[in-house]
Amino acid sequence: MAVRITEDCIACNACEPECPNNAIYEADTPYMYGGEEKEALSEEFTYIVPEKCTECVGFYDEPQCIEACPTEAIEMDPDNEESQEELMAKKEKLDEIGRD
Ligand code: SF4
Ligand code: SF4
């Protein structure tokens, strides 16, 4: 599954540079997917793009953003459950279309 950011976020953005998939964006900032700019998913909180989060599969053993967060504001998203195979397929798609 992808991970998500909760209301415990203090918008420090320590997580953003840790993401190997460029899946984390500041509040009210458009995100990039396949070279296209998309509307921000949150105007209030730092957010994670589910289509770009692989739980760090393909790069690291553990989600890097969760380790970086000082307020434990990042959790697994039960609404976005995916198998290891699905996560790896997502990673490979991002390899093809790019992460910006
Ligand atoms: S590291 Fe945690 S508190 Fe900081 S922006 Fe990311 S989710 Fe929010
Ligand atoms: S779990 Fe990994 S891929 Fe997903 S948002 Fe966090 S750092 Fe990025």
Side-chain angles (χ1 to χ4, degrees):
M1 62 188 81
V3 303
R4 67 182 176 190
I5 294 177
T6 72
E7 60 190 18
D8 291 334
C9 174
I10 57 170
C12 70
N13 289 321
C15 54
E16 189 185 331
E18 302 302 322
C19 180
N21 287 315
N22 196 19
I24 306 174
Y25 291 83
E26 285 180 45
D28 210 17
T29 304
Y31 70 92
M32 298 299 293
Y33 186 77
E36 288 183 26
E37 191 173 289
K38 308 278 188 180
E39 199 171 319
L41 298 183
S42 175
E43 293 179 357
E44 289 179 82
F45 301 106
T46 301
Y47 66 92
I48 291 172
V49 180
E51 291 87 350
K52 298 177 81 177
C53 173
T54 65
E55 290 176 35
C56 289
V57 165
F59 294 98
Y60 303 104
D61 291 337
E62 300 290 335
Q64 298 299 290
C65 55
I66 291 179
E67 292 190 13
C69 181
T71 63
E72 298 185 4
I74 307 178
E75 63 182 17
M76 293 296 175
D77 181 356
D79 295 330
N80 275 305
E81 283 200 38
E82 292 159 296
S83 67
Q84 290 292 302
E85 291 74 22
E86 288 171 320
L87 291 166
M88 184 56 83
K90 193 192 285 188
K91 188 258 182 194
E92 288 169 357
K93 180 173 183 182
L94 291 170
D95 287 342
E96 282 178 27
I97 66 174
R99 291 171 169 78
D100 292 316

